[in-house]
Amino acid sequence: MSTQKILYQPNPEFAAKAAIKNMDMYWKLQNKAIEDYEGFWKEFADEKIDWLAPYEKVLDESNAPFYEWFTNGKLNVSNQCIDRHLADKAHKTAILFEGDRGDVERISYAQLSLHVNRMANLLKHEFNVQKGDRVVLYMPMIPESAYAMLACARIGAIHSIVFGGFSSEALKDRIEDAEAKIVITADGAYRKGKPYMLKQVVDEALTQGGKSVEAVLVVKRNNEPIEWVEGRDHNYNELITSQHAECPFELMDSEDPLFLLYTSGSTGKPKGVQHGSAGYILWAQMTMEWVFDVKCDDVFWCTADIGWITGHTYIVYGPLAAGTTTLMFEGVPTYPDAGRAWKMVQDHKITQFYTAPTAIRVLHKMGEDEPKKYDLSSLKVLGTVGEPIDPPAWKWYYETVGNSKCAIVDTYWQTETGGHMISPLPGATPIKAGCATLALPGIMAEVLNIDGETKEVGEGGLLCITKPWPAMIRNIWGDPDRYASAYFGDVAKDGQPVYFTGDGARVDEDGYITIVGRVDDVINVSGHRMGTAEIEAAVAKDDSVTEVAVVARPHEIKGESIFIYIVLKDGHINADIKNHINALLSSEIGNIAKADHIIEVPGLPKTRSGKIMRRILRSIAKGEEITQDISTLEDPSIVEQIITKAREA
Ligand code: WT7
């Protein structure tokens, strides 16, 4: 990969004004963190957080891996994102909303405060939502979603957002795991010029289960006809107008949970990733300032959905904590045409644009020259997240979108990390295409082997974070054992368990880290993280299937696609099996889980002890030569048969 070797230096004009202006500044910060870890974090916590009562200890490791940060400190995240800005930013736009159909709404910090206070009162007084209660959000990309998140934060309720693409079954599972008291949803919203529906998915979920739910609060967005369950369903738009405009915020402990966000792991059951308050909001703000270099008058656009961690940290919490303007977009960047995103950059003078490689590939394919039709000169920083970015997409993003003057920050992080971990700093780090470069100051990332030994330059290894950091996951909701084993059970360094990300990576001669991809059974389709075990569990619900194995196959646009091997029960011939399985995946998980390839095979490659050799299946799906020894398989001839089937597919 030749582009990998080229170093792109930061734009000097930009660097002069950047928060971190050069590599000396980077190393000064990082060395301070290495020498005095707690002192490093204390300085920023004192500077950035509006403490309502001081903390007693920066980091408490006594109950590792259940780390505590800023012990006994008190704060409120909604104060951090709203109230403390009202003195000087009341009239500044906090949320700039653009609807699918081009409708624009500007919500100032003062207006945001009013909406959030009212919603907090509504939840508290009409629905008796108390500190610690769980509130599930099944919402479109509309400002009310942000109001609901911040209203929960204000009263100390724990929100759990379920991405609107998940099915009723997946929604039900998440509601039940969190034992949610209330669900907030919308009738639906607009996408590609047409209304789509959400409320009926909630209705289905609550017919199937979710008995803890006492009420459903419905925001009207598209006013399409919806079913109404008397006594359970409540109209937000009617109730909100009579709510009091002030709701005093709850005094929250640094470690009180702020939200849960379910994500996939290597078993069939999704994990409720639990985040805390102080450490999370601190890092959300710091990374806005360091990685995106947001300034007072910037207009920041992150294209993620609020249903993912990227939307939590970089549409809502980070930008608002930093006091900037955040753009929230209901639609898709390719409608009405492939110039939509660039038109929006021009119209709103977007300064930072943050999206996923899969979106860049789509925009590139559909409209290579579209960016040239618009004035994109407001852009300063371009970001990517979610998967490695391939050189052609990177080059187009850098040259055509960024006019070769914007840094590309390839931000590596996870739902569990709360915010960025490894990323270039736009005013400091010389960048290489497709490389996340260096750990951010304060983050101790290392590529190790299973025994915690450092890998040689260029050698692949396990990407670990060897010190706890403020925004890290605190627990898996209701399952502390799984938290400890899933993240701290694999790698120990000097006898101490360290956080293992699940990703493989390598370090090059400049010390730069390149992410290779997941080494566990997690796959990444268009930036959506899915567990192969979860998909297998859904497929196994088909009565005619006896065995199933799911692997990833590289895909030009999506990064990876789902490739399924099935073995049918004896005597079963099912002509419609593929449609049936995709229908099952869509109802069990959601449309994001549809498979590109489903092939029926006579058996799976197994060792004599019955273990499925997934490595062989992955190689076959990729069309690679099988180089490993298959003679030890229970039935070596099966491999040839599978290869033939896969070729036909
Ligand atoms: C997984 C986390 C963090 C927000 C979006 C996804 C992959 C993430 C990068 C990157 C290569 C990346 C990793 C990671 N990933 N960013 N810049 N380069 N891979 O959050 O759903 O928790 O997925 O996404 O494999 O473990 P997530």
Side-chain angles (χ1 to χ4, degrees):
M1 272 205 253
S2 56
T3 35
Q4 262 261 353
K5 296 227 170 70
I6 304 171
L7 282 174
Y8 295 78
Q9 298 298 330
N11 175 339
E13 248 172 87
F14 175 88
K17 293 185 228 146
I20 301 181
K21 300 181 192 339
N22 50 52
M23 288 313 283
D24 282 350
M25 268 180 90
Y26 165 84
W27 282 114
K28 234 185 172 155
L29 284 162
Q30 186 63 322
N31 286 332
K32 156 121 206 211
I34 292 167
E35 281 153 28
D36 176 14
Y37 198 57
E38 291 187 29
F40 171 90
W41 287 110
K42 181 180 186 325
E43 192 182 315
F44 291 107
D46 292 348
E47 182 193 322
K48 312 279 179 197
I49 299 221
D50 191 354
W51 292 104
L52 307 170
Y55 56 90
E56 288 158 12
K57 202 170 179 342
V58 175
L59 168 63
D60 185 348
E61 302 186 80
S62 59
N63 194 22
F66 300 89
Y67 300 100
E68 287 187 10
W69 283 90
F70 313 116
T71 316
N72 292 334
K74 302 282 182 249
L75 78 163
N76 185 287
V77 167
S78 85
N79 172 47
Q80 198 64 24
C81 292
I82 308 169
D83 305 48
R84 71 181 178 119
H85 298 316
L86 293 176
D88 60 338
K89 297 195 175 86
H91 303 296
K92 174 183 174 145
T93 302
I95 299 177
L96 172 50
F97 172 74
E98 180 161 323
D100 177 66
R101 297 158 305 157
D103 43 318
V104 171
E105 196 186 337
R106 278 167 227 280
I107 300 122
S108 68
Y109 274 92
Q111 288 164 324
L112 177 64
S113 170
L114 177 66
H115 289 297
V116 170
N117 275 269
R118 280 182 164 171
M119 184 151 333
N121 277 323
L122 176 62
L123 294 177
K124 202 165 157 179
H125 301 302
E126 305 280 338
F127 302 108
N128 191 29
V129 177
Q130 310 261 338
K131 181 172 171 178
D133 283 345
R134 274 80 57 213
V135 176
V136 162
L137 270 60
Y138 191 69
M139 292 287 283
M141 290 288 291
I142 55 175
E144 286 79 0
S145 302
Y147 307 162
M149 293 165 76
L150 292 158
C152 286
R154 198 162 187 88
I155 62 175
I158 304 168
H159 62 71
S160 172
I161 308 187
V162 179
F163 171 60
F166 278 116
S167 68
S168 58
E169 184 69 27
L171 174 60
K172 183 210 73 182
D173 289 345
R174 287 157 176 76
I175 290 172
E176 289 186 342
D177 191 80
E179 294 175 281
K181 184 169 193 168
I182 168 169
V183 176
I184 307 178
T185 188
D187 46 5
Y190 297 94
R191 188 192 290 129
K192 298 190 187 178
K194 292 195 195 73
Y196 72 92
M197 307 301 288
L198 283 170
K199 163 74 161 62
Q200 67 193 43
V201 184
V202 175
D203 291 340
E204 280 164 31
L206 295 179
T207 314
Q208 295 156 11
K211 294 298 166 231
S212 58
V213 173
E214 293 167 14
V216 176
L217 183 61
V218 186
V219 178
K220 294 289 184 74
R221 167 67 182 153
N222 60 23
N223 292 303
E224 292 291 308
I226 50 176
E227 304 266 317
W228 203 256
V229 179
E230 281 310 323
R232 187 198 72 183
D233 296 350
H234 302 268
N235 183 330
Y236 165 86
N237 307 63
E238 278 170 13
L239 291 172
I240 201 69
T241 52
S242 56
Q243 299 305 313
H244 198 273
E246 265 168 59
C247 176
F249 50 73
E250 208 51 62
L251 219 54
M252 301 301 288
D253 193 274
S254 294
E255 283 297 318
D256 276 334
L258 179 63
F259 63 83
L260 309 180
L261 183 56
Y262 283 82
T263 189
S264 297
S266 41
T267 72
K269 195 174 183 282
K271 307 181 272 196
V273 171
Q274 180 184 321
H275 276 288
S277 298
Y280 171 80
I281 200 67
L282 172 64
W283 193 231
Q285 182 178 333
M286 285 173 70
T287 49
M288 285 299 298
E289 295 170 356
W290 284 354
V291 177
F292 294 124
D293 203 65
V294 277
K295 297 285 195 272
C296 194
D297 296 322
D298 284 351
V299 184
F300 180 84
W301 183 14
C302 162
T303 70
D305 189 281
I306 48 138
W308 307 114
I309 190 68
T310 312
H312 284 61
T313 308
Y314 298 110
I315 295 177
V316 180
Y317 289 117
L320 297 176
T324 191
T325 299
T326 180
L327 185 123
M328 194 172 186
F329 177 44
E330 180 187 34
V332 296
T334 48
Y335 177 84
D337 58 50
R340 175 69 180 266
W342 316 127
K343 180 173 187 307
M344 286 175 63
V345 169
Q346 169 180 287
D347 290 352
H348 302 302
K349 300 197 168 51
I350 299 296
T351 42
Q352 291 88 356
F353 180 73
Y354 189 34
T355 196
T358 188
I360 298 167
R361 290 191 289 265
V362 170
L363 291 167
H364 182 197
K365 280 244 147 58
M366 287 180 66
E368 176 151 21
D369 296 322
E370 286 294 322
K372 295 184 185 138
K373 298 185 191 159
Y374 300 91
D375 176 6
L376 306 183
S377 59
S378 57
L379 288 171
K380 297 190 285 189
V381 180
L382 299 173
T384 80
V385 59
E387 49 177 323
I389 177 164
D390 48 293
W394 194 94
K395 196 166 178 282
W396 180 74
Y397 201 32
Y398 186 78
E399 290 173 358
T400 309
V401 179
N403 197 16
S404 303
K405 73 171 180 59
C406 302
I408 294 188
V409 289
D410 180 344
T411 63
Y412 167 83
W413 59 298
Q414 310 177 297
T415 304
E416 292 87 343
T417 68
H420 304 148
M421 301 302 276
I422 303 174
S423 172
L425 294 163
T429 320
I431 49 182
K432 298 180 191 180
C435 178
T437 73
L438 298 166
L440 293 174
I443 301 301
M444 303 300 152
E446 293 182 58
V447 178
L448 304 173
N449 68 15
I450 202 105
D451 300 316
E453 293 154 351
T454 309
K455 283 281 184 174
E456 299 287 317
V457 165
E459 245 189 323
L462 309 173
L463 179 61
C464 297
I465 314 294
T466 52
K467 266 183 166 305
W469 65 102
M472 71 190 292
I473 175 176
R474 292 306 196 268
N475 205 345
I476 291 176
W477 184 253
D479 202 346
D481 291 343
R482 188 173 178 199
Y483 162 77
S485 65
Y487 301 109
F488 297 89
D490 295 308
V491 186
K493 192 190 169 193
D494 305 326
Q496 291 298 316
V498 293
Y499 178 92
F500 171 44
T501 58
D503 285 296
R506 58 170 189 271
V507 179
D508 71 12
E509 60 287 353
D510 295 318
Y512 280 17
I513 300 171
T514 295
I515 313 298
V516 180
R518 302 289 306 201
V519 297
D520 52 7
D521 292 317
V522 168
I523 63 180
N524 189 330
V525 182
S526 302
H528 301 318
R529 172 169 161 187
M530 274 174 276
T532 53
E534 227 174 305
I535 302 169
E536 286 166 5
V539 175
K541 292 203 170 173
D542 184 302
D543 287 337
S544 58
V545 172
T546 62
E547 283 190 294
V548 49
V550 173
V551 298
R553 170 185 166 110
H555 187 280
E556 224 196 322
I557 298 287
K558 298 191 243 188
E560 288 183 342
S561 66
I562 298 172
F563 193 107
I564 305 183
Y565 298 91
I566 50 169
V567 183
L568 292 181
K569 275 186 189 147
D570 275 349
H572 261 93
I573 308 165
N574 190 339
D576 207 28
I577 187 78
K578 291 183 190 175
N579 288 333
H580 191 242
I581 285 180
N582 263 328
L584 199 56
L585 287 172
S586 146
S587 71
E588 289 291 313
I589 302 174
N591 283 335
I592 51 172
K594 280 200 174 152
D596 280 24
H597 298 275
I598 300 171
I599 66 163
E600 193 213 314
V601 292
L604 298 174
K606 287 184 188 158
T607 59
R608 291 199 185 107
S609 59
K611 190 174 171 292
I612 298 174
M613 296 298 290
R614 290 174 169 279
R615 209 146 30 105
I616 295 179
L617 293 175
R618 280 195 280 267
S619 299
I620 297 175
K622 285 182 191 159
E624 286 171 0
E625 199 90 33
I626 308 289
T627 51
Q628 65 196 108
D629 179 20
I630 58 168
S631 63
T632 55
L633 292 182
E634 186 189 41
D635 173 10
S637 75
I638 205 83
V639 174
E640 207 44 57
Q641 296 178 55
I642 298 174
I643 292 173
T644 312
K645 286 275 188 177
R647 278 210 196 99
E648 288 163 11

